[in-house]
């Protein structure tokens, strides 16, 4: 339980990254800077960054729970989540060593920002998403350092992909990202911090 509380509390203070304006185009920079926009953004869970966003700039946050297939979260007031998110999180305690756990490294969460701001992502290779499992159905994923150089189709080679979507915060609408599986190049350092949703037929292991 203590580990879970640390993870959730960290989300309020390590508010790193969002999807780039063009989710498919991968930037080529060693320390990518990603932009938060006014409105809804998908941001990485606990991905280290140096950012200009004050906690008070966030007005809402939601985490998707893939087992329960529902969201938890709510309004953020003065940098603190108004409602408790703890009641459902203990269900994931036993998954830490095997899965991408919602709100933790390698996943992403919804955040609503009042004003635009930016974050410079750190490019450390740890912790690794490779070798972790994702749950049946929808999974919120973010690009981490361990994925740099790995082709998307290789990363998901053990998974039966049904859908992939990215959220465009500039116009507040979805982008179909299924074509990313046909990309010949791997994830770049510039793509660290970008987030997307993947729907898989059954639980599978990232490779």
């Amino acid at each position: 339980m203590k580990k879970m509380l640390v993870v959730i509390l960290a989300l309020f203070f390590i508010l790193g990254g969002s999807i780039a304006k063009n989710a498919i185009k991968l930037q080529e920079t060693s320390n990518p800077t990603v932009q938060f926009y006014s409105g809804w953004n998908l941001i990485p869970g606990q991905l280290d960054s140096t950012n200009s966003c004050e906690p008070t700039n966030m007005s809402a946050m939601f985490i998707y729970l893939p087992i329960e297939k529902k969201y938890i979260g709510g309004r953020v007031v003065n940098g603190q989540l108004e409602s408790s998110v703890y009641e459902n999180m203990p269900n994931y305690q036993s998954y830490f060593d095997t899965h991408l756990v919602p709100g933790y490294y390698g996943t992403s969460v919804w955040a609503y920002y009042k004003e635009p701001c930016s974050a410079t992502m750190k490019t450390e290779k740890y912790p690794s998403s490779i070798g972790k499992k994702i749950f049946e159905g929808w999974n919120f994923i973010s690009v981490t350092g361990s994925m740099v150089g790995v082709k998307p189709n290789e990363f998901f080679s053990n998974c039966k992909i049904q859908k992939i979507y990215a959220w465009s915060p500039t116009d507040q609408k979805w982008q179909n990202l299924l074509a990313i599986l046909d990309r010949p190049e791997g994830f770049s350092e510039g793509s660290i911090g970008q987030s997307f949703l993947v729907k898989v037929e059954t639980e599978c292991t990232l490779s």
Side-chain angles (χ1 to χ4, degrees):
M1 172 67 74
K2 182 178 179 181
K3 188 174 184 180
M4 273 295 182
L5 294 179
V6 171
V7 169
I8 300 302
L9 288 172
L11 288 171
F12 303 136
F13 301 104
I14 308 176
L15 305 177
S18 72
I19 174 179
K21 181 176 180 179
N22 187 331
I24 299 178
K25 183 178 181 181
L26 305 181
Q27 299 174 338
E28 298 296 337
T29 56
S30 58
N31 288 292
T33 297
V34 291
Q35 184 72 35
F36 297 98
Y37 294 87
S38 298
W40 288 106
N41 296 262
L42 279 176
I43 67 172
Q46 264 202 328
L47 189 59
D48 289 340
S49 68
T50 302
N51 71 76
S52 63
C53 299
E54 296 294 332
T56 53
N57 188 27
M58 181 187 290
S59 60
M61 184 184 76
F62 289 91
I63 302 172
Y64 181 74
L65 302 181
I67 295 177
E68 296 83 354
K69 295 180 172 32
K70 70 175 185 179
Y71 288 97
I72 56 173
R75 291 201 311 159
V76 175
V77 180
N78 296 322
Q80 297 291 328
L81 194 60
E82 193 173 50
S83 61
S84 174
V85 298
Y86 305 140
E87 57 184 21
N88 290 300
M89 294 308 290
N91 296 342
Y92 293 84
Q93 186 67 41
S94 61
Y95 291 99
F96 258 105
D97 294 331
T98 57
H99 290 67
L100 291 184
V101 174
Y104 198 56
Y105 289 105
T107 68
S108 56
V109 302
W110 285 110
Y112 191 96
Y113 283 102
K114 304 170 189 174
E115 302 292 338
C117 54
S118 62
T120 300
M121 312 310 296
K122 297 180 181 180
T123 57
E124 284 79 6
K125 301 291 184 181
Y126 60 90
S128 179
S129 300
I130 297 173
K132 294 283 189 175
K133 295 180 180 179
I134 55 177
F135 298 90
E136 176 184 336
W138 288 105
N139 293 264
F140 284 61
I141 293 177
S142 65
V143 179
T144 62
S146 64
M147 296 165 62
V148 172
V150 180
K151 296 178 181 179
N153 63 341
E154 294 175 348
F155 185 65
F156 292 111
S157 61
N158 297 321
C159 301
K160 294 183 179 180
I161 301 292
Q162 295 179 315
K163 298 177 182 180
I164 304 179
Y165 283 97
W167 176 254
S168 173
T170 56
D171 49 18
Q172 298 287 288
K173 67 179 184 180
W174 292 106
Q175 298 176 337
N176 189 330
L177 206 61
L178 196 61
I180 197 174
L181 296 177
D182 298 324
R183 293 183 62 87
E185 67 269 21
F187 294 103
S188 69
E189 287 191 340
S191 65
I192 294 175
Q194 295 182 13
S195 301
F196 50 92
L197 275 67
V198 175
K199 186 178 184 182
V200 294
E201 185 174 314
T202 59
E203 179 180 277
C204 58
T205 302
L206 302 172
S207 60

